[in-house]
Structure formats: structure tokens, C-alpha cells
């Protein structure tokens, strides 16, 4: 039987590893503004740079807003990587 009580919140820590600290810094610098200006009605996201990794923390009120936050973060990283690959 499926529990019909709604989720109170969804939290996650996501780590994205890059080839080098330099590449991680380029991507971090390209997307930091997106994280700072993203609407935060039902979820919040923070981003940190740690060597070769970008650490993303998501705290959402429900699964729908959590999924939207994850999709946004992935989209921003993917786009920044594609643009970086075009320029190198």
C-alpha cells in the first residue's frame, strides 16, 4: 500500500566531479549567478566549489519542486560545459 501522506521536504547533496580544478572553477563561475537568482518559492539551492567538484545542496518543500531544482542545476551545468567545449 502506498503511504498517502505528503512529503514534508526533500533534501539532497549532489557532487559533480570535473577533470580538473580549473574546469570546475570555469563551470562554477559560469553558473553561480543562476543559483543566486533562481526563484526560491518552494525550494532553495546552494552551490560550492571544492577542488575538482561542484557541490549542490537542494532543500525543497515537495518532490515536484525538488525535481525542478535538480533539472535546473543539471541544465545549467550541461550548458556551461557545452559552451566551454565550443570555446576550447
Amino acid at each position: 500500500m502506498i503511504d498517502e501522506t505528503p512529503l514534508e521536504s526533500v533534501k539532497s547533496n549532489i557532487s559533480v566531479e570535473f577533470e580538473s580544478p580549473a574546469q570546475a572553477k570555469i563551470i562554477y563561475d559560469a553558473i553561480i549567478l543562476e543559483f543566486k537568482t533562481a526563484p526560491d518559492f518552494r525550494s532553495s539551492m546552494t552551490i560550492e566549489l571544492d577542488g575538482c567538484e561542484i557541490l549542490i545542496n537542494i532543500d525543497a518543500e515537495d518532490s515536484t519542486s525538488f525535481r525542478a531544482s535538480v533539472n535546473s542545476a543539471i541544465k545549467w551545468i550541461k550548458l556551461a560545459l557545452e559552451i566551454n567545449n565550443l570555446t576550447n
Side-chain angles (χ1 to χ4, degrees):
M1 180 173 170
I2 298 174
D3 186 6
E4 295 184 20
T5 58
L7 293 173
E8 289 187 23
S9 68
V10 182
K11 297 180 182 183
S12 182
N13 300 318
I14 300 168
S15 171
V16 181
E17 190 171 337
F18 295 89
E19 293 176 4
S20 68
Q23 183 185 37
K25 174 91 168 99
I26 289 168
I27 301 306
Y28 175 85
D29 288 345
I31 64 175
I32 185 67
L33 188 58
E34 299 295 342
F35 280 83
K36 288 183 177 181
T37 61
D40 59 359
F41 303 113
R42 294 176 19 216
S43 67
S44 64
M45 293 189 290
T46 61
I47 183 173
E48 298 174 43
L49 180 62
D50 184 19
C52 291
E53 293 181 317
I54 291 178
L55 308 171
I56 302 166
N57 301 302
I58 300 173
D59 186 0
E61 289 182 8
D62 53 58
S63 59
T64 302
S65 58
F66 175 76
R67 181 181 49 83
S69 295
V70 170
N71 287 344
S72 293
I74 291 170
K75 177 182 70 175
W76 297 329
I77 290 170
K78 183 177 184 287
L79 181 59
L81 277 169
E82 289 174 355
I83 291 169
N84 186 51
N85 290 338
L86 284 175
T87 59
N88 288 330

